[in-house]
């Protein structure tokens, strides 16, 4: 014999699971591209391999380069540290890439210690005068969480997302959605 109301006690859990599933299966949130961008860009790091940007990192750097060439950008901060034992940091690789493509070294700053998005933002902020408006350059999937974290750090930020590429990695997209959900619910950020 079943106790009265026992099915009702599972209803909130089932509803919560349904909402989480809908969030994870729905298309990703979009951040409108800043038009025009602020004069300071912060390019969030991504992997580099033996001193060369990964395809994802190169798309971010190429997007920052196109914004710089369009005019109005005076400073580009490229963020990202290094893996243990790696002689190259993401920040250094990104600055070298942009300099080779015509951005003067006087407009470039390399943040080389961060390993997470929060560290990217905190460390980039330390290079700039307080309350400097910045435009974050990252990919479309990462932009919603990066922008939320920047605002939580009291940064005056908007975003100009780079494209994801032809076939984005579904695991990466899922990871970004889960990270955004964790941040939204728990204030957890990486």
């Amino acid at each position: 014999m079943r106790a009265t109301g026992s099915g009702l006690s599972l209803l909130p859990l089932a509803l919560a699971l349904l909402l989480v599933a809908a969030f994870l299966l729905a298309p990703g949130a979009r951040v409108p591209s800043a038009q025009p961008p602020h004069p300071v860009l912060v390019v969030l790091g991504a992997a580099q391999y033996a001193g060369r940007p990964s395809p994802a990192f190169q798309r971010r750097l190429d997007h920052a380069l196109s914004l710089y060439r369009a005019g109005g950008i005076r400073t580009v901060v490229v963020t990202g540290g290094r893996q243990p034992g790696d002689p190259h940091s993401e920040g250094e690789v990104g600055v070298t890439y942009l300099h080779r493509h015509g951005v003067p070294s006087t407009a470039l700053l390399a943040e080389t210690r961060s390993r997470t998005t929060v560290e990217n933002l905190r460390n980039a902020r330390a290079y700039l005068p307080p309350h400097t408006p910045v435009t974050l350059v990252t990919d479309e999937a990462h932009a919603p969480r990066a922008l939320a974290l920047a605002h939580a750090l009291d940064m005056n930020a908007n975003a100009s997302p780079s494209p994801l590429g032809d076939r984005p990695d579904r695991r990466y997209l899922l990871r970004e959605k889960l990270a955004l959900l964790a941040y939204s619910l728990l204030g957890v950020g990486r």
Side-chain angles (χ1 to χ4, degrees):
M1 185 168 190
R2 194 169 140 194
T4 305
S6 66
L8 290 178
S9 64
L10 293 178
L11 186 60
L13 177 61
L15 185 58
L17 289 174
L18 181 64
L19 289 173
V20 168
F23 174 78
L24 294 176
L25 295 173
R30 297 264 188 227
V31 171
S33 189
Q35 294 296 330
H38 293 301
V40 176
L41 301 180
V42 175
V43 181
L44 300 179
Q48 59 80 28
Y49 306 119
R52 298 183 58 136
S54 66
F57 195 22
Q58 186 172 335
R59 282 190 296 274
R60 293 177 189 188
L61 293 167
D62 287 342
H63 186 65
L65 184 60
S66 71
L67 293 173
Y68 181 84
R69 287 177 175 163
I73 305 299
R74 22 170 236 274
T75 305
V76 182
V77 181
V78 184
T79 65
R82 68 185 85 228
Q83 296 289 338
D86 193 338
H88 306 283
S89 73
E90 295 164 5
E92 292 165 334
V93 168
V95 162
T96 299
Y97 180 89
L98 291 171
H99 184 64
R100 283 185 184 153
H101 286 84
V103 179
S105 58
T106 56
L108 295 167
L109 295 169
E111 182 285 314
T112 61
R113 296 175 294 128
S114 60
R115 296 300 314 141
T116 67
T117 302
V118 169
E119 289 175 359
N120 287 164
L121 296 167
R122 281 187 183 136
N123 295 350
R125 182 176 60 183
Y127 282 86
L128 303 169
H131 310 293
T132 299
V134 299
T135 295
L136 305 180
V137 177
T138 189
D139 61 63
E140 293 172 334
H142 186 229
R145 182 169 62 94
L147 195 55
L149 290 169
H151 290 159
L153 293 170
D154 201 29
M155 293 177 76
N156 180 359
N158 59 25
S160 184
S162 66
L164 281 167
D166 295 335
R167 290 188 283 180
D169 182 352
R170 291 188 185 276
R171 290 173 300 176
Y172 172 67
L173 298 176
L174 180 61
R175 183 182 74 99
E176 278 304 319
K177 281 187 171 193
L178 288 172
L180 180 59
L181 181 64
Y183 172 74
S184 298
L185 296 175
L186 307 172
V188 176
R190 283 186 41 91

